[in-house]
Amino acid sequence: MTAALEGIVVLDLTAYLAGPYACSLLGDAGADVIKIEPPIGDALRNYPSTLAEDNRTFMGVNRNKRSIVLDLKKAEGLQAFYRLVEKADVVVHNFRPSVPARLGIDYETLRSRRPDLIYCSLTAYGENQNGPLRDHPGFDTVLQAFTGIASMQGSDTGQPQILNGSIVDYYSSSMVTIGILSALVHRLRTGQGQHVKPSLLRSAIALQAGQFIWAESEPRDVQRWWGASYSGIYPAKEGHVYLQATTPAFWKHLCEALGFPELVDDPRYDTLKKRAELREEIKPRIREALKQRTALEWEELMLGKVPCIAVRSVDAMFEHPQVLAEGIVVEHEHPKVGKYKTMDRAVKMGVGDSPTRRAPLMGEHTNEVLASFGFRSEEIAEIRAKGAAA
């Protein structure tokens, strides 16, 4: 069987992280993703990186794409883009709300050329005209600070803290992908295209759906983050270990492994709520017990019995047997970087999987893509000569 999205053409105008990775996820499912970069390239290409010839993050979030360079600010580049739109299924961008109309690539303009187009505009705060932050710059860390994520991360110390790893961006990528896939299914059923409007703001709040509840019987600033607070990361004899014991079975196995089996039947600790309330009594005992073994030894001892894992760095994932058993790591050959290892696809499908492709060089496929859309060689040469393509 072919891949689920084989034959679907996606024009990717996005830059940085959230939009590009969303389009890579569509590429994972078989879509033909054409990354359209401005003459200066995706801004992420120019971010600092320990790789001398390319940017690590760019390479990681732009797999399964072909790259072309078009200058949409030049008439020839814009007209070339319009011709691509006529044969495309999806257009994705992450410009601020006021930019698309100024460039001539707003939904109404493009829909006039492809009525059943799926048009996805990823914004920071949304596109409502009444929104005071509508055209304010927004990035992952800005939205973490704005929506309470940074405040929650620093709740133990009272100092707001950014969660590293671009979690809002990556979650937004998933929301973009879900929105586009839903729109494609809707088009399959009705023949209608539509404008999909994800935002970093909506995604950041969705990340906190379990806390974003305000009952009329309580104050707005009620404590929303609650759990078995003795769960967490502890120092071991060597390294650190994370453990969590929320169910009766997990609590029993934890107590037995750490050497205080008498707590299992102690009525003071027989429910999760009671243990959470007595966390300041429990945590010191856990901390002291964990000093007796290394993190890896605790992990092995509790394997299959307690959610316990040794803390590792991301580079350990390249060789961990579980990661390798899942086929997550693949190797690519890059014209500038050489061989490099990276992840395969985000979701493993039962049928229709095909090998993933490395991230493209800037403008690597300009001639190839334009020719496949019906541009004659002399037309391509003319567009290039006028500086509208590269």
Side-chain angles (χ1 to χ4, degrees):
M1 291 184 65
T2 58
L5 296 185
E6 186 168 328
I8 297 295
V9 177
V10 178
L11 302 183
D12 173 14
L13 292 166
T14 64
Y16 296 105
L17 199 161
Y21 193 56
C23 293
S24 283
L25 294 176
L26 296 173
D28 283 354
D32 180 12
V33 181
I34 300 169
K35 184 174 181 67
I36 302 174
E37 301 189 57
I40 60 171
D42 183 332
L44 192 56
R45 289 187 184 272
N46 300 315
Y47 269 47
S49 172
T50 53
L51 289 174
E53 300 297 331
D54 213 327
N55 178 274
R56 188 183 312 280
T57 305
F58 178 90
M59 292 168 62
V61 302
N62 282 282
R63 64 176 179 265
N64 293 329
K65 299 181 184 182
R66 295 187 288 168
S67 170
I68 72 173
V69 173
L70 286 179
D71 189 346
L72 301 185
K73 295 180 180 179
K74 292 183 180 292
E76 296 80 6
L78 183 60
Q79 290 303 315
F81 176 68
Y82 286 157
R83 287 177 62 177
L84 299 184
V85 170
E86 291 169 2
K87 295 183 178 180
D89 298 282
V90 181
V91 170
V92 192
H93 73 74
N94 61 344
F95 297 117
R96 294 191 216 177
S98 61
V99 172
R102 192 163 70 241
L103 288 176
I105 60 168
D106 55 285
Y107 176 51
E108 295 302 324
T109 298
L110 300 190
R111 185 171 66 163
S112 68
R113 296 175 176 275
R114 177 70 192 252
D116 64 348
L117 181 70
I118 307 300
Y119 181 96
C120 180
S121 54
L122 171 62
T123 57
Y125 303 95
E127 302 182 49
N128 193 297
Q129 292 284 352
N130 297 323
L133 299 177
R134 181 176 183 267
D135 275 304
H136 189 55
F139 292 87
D140 176 287
T141 48
V142 178
L143 269 296
Q144 285 194 43
F146 177 58
T147 61
I149 295 175
S151 177
M152 182 176 66
Q153 293 304 312
S155 59
D156 289 343
T157 64
Q159 294 293 320
Q161 183 174 331
I162 293 297
L163 182 63
N164 292 330
S166 304
I167 188 170
V168 173
D169 276 341
Y170 282 110
Y171 191 69
S172 296
S173 299
S174 298
M175 296 299 100
V176 170
T177 306
I178 290 172
I180 291 172
L181 292 176
S182 299
L184 285 169
V185 171
H186 179 265
R187 190 179 76 172
L188 183 65
R189 291 173 172 170
T190 67
Q192 299 173 346
Q194 62 178 293
H195 186 176
V196 181
K197 302 178 181 181
S199 69
L200 299 185
L201 171 62
R202 191 172 292 271
S203 297
I205 293 178
L207 269 171
Q208 304 173 86
Q211 290 80 52
F212 202 68
I213 299 292
W214 179 17
E216 64 178 0
S217 60
E218 61 183 3
R220 190 182 69 180
D221 61 348
V222 68
Q223 171 65 36
R224 287 183 163 80
W225 179 251
W226 188 257
S229 303
Y230 55 87
S231 299
I233 295 176
Y234 293 85
K237 182 178 180 180
E238 180 181 311
H240 289 77
V241 62
Y242 175 84
L243 57 84
Q244 178 176 317
T246 51
T247 70
F250 291 155
W251 172 247
K252 175 178 181 292
H253 290 308
L254 177 67
C255 291
E256 292 172 347
L258 295 184
F260 34 82
E262 69 278 3
L263 297 189
V264 175
D265 297 320
D266 191 322
R268 295 179 301 162
Y269 307 101
D270 61 3
T271 70
L272 179 58
K273 286 186 177 180
K274 289 181 181 179
R275 295 195 295 273
E277 290 170 356
L278 295 173
R279 59 190 178 276
E280 295 309 321
E281 293 182 16
I282 297 172
K283 288 166 67 175
R285 297 193 66 170
I286 293 176
R287 187 175 292 107
E288 189 63 29
L290 289 173
K291 294 179 182 179
Q292 306 307 309
R293 300 174 187 266
T294 69
L296 291 175
E297 289 170 342
W298 284 120
E299 178 182 290
E300 184 177 0
L301 180 66
M302 299 190 201
L303 191 66
K305 299 177 181 179
V306 180
C308 168
I309 206 80
V311 176
R312 295 168 169 84
S313 59
V314 68
D315 57 272
M317 297 298 98
F318 286 105
E319 296 180 338
H320 193 280
Q322 184 65 42
V323 177
L324 297 179
E326 286 297 304
I328 294 174
V329 179
V330 296
E331 187 172 86
H332 293 306
E333 183 77 39
H334 191 280
K336 293 184 176 180
V337 176
K339 288 183 179 180
Y340 70 94
K341 292 182 178 181
T342 185
M343 72 170 294
D344 186 22
R345 60 188 68 247
V347 178
K348 185 70 175 176
M349 302 294 290
V351 294
D353 275 352
S354 57
T356 54
R357 305 187 307 276
R358 65 165 174 81
L361 301 178
M362 180 177 163
E364 181 178 353
H365 306 97
T366 298
N367 285 8
E368 173 188 310
V369 169
L370 292 180
S372 69
F373 276 75
F375 286 76
R376 302 188 308 276
S377 57
E378 55 268 29
E379 288 181 297
I380 298 173
E382 182 178 358
I383 296 170
R384 281 180 171 274
K386 292 187 176 180

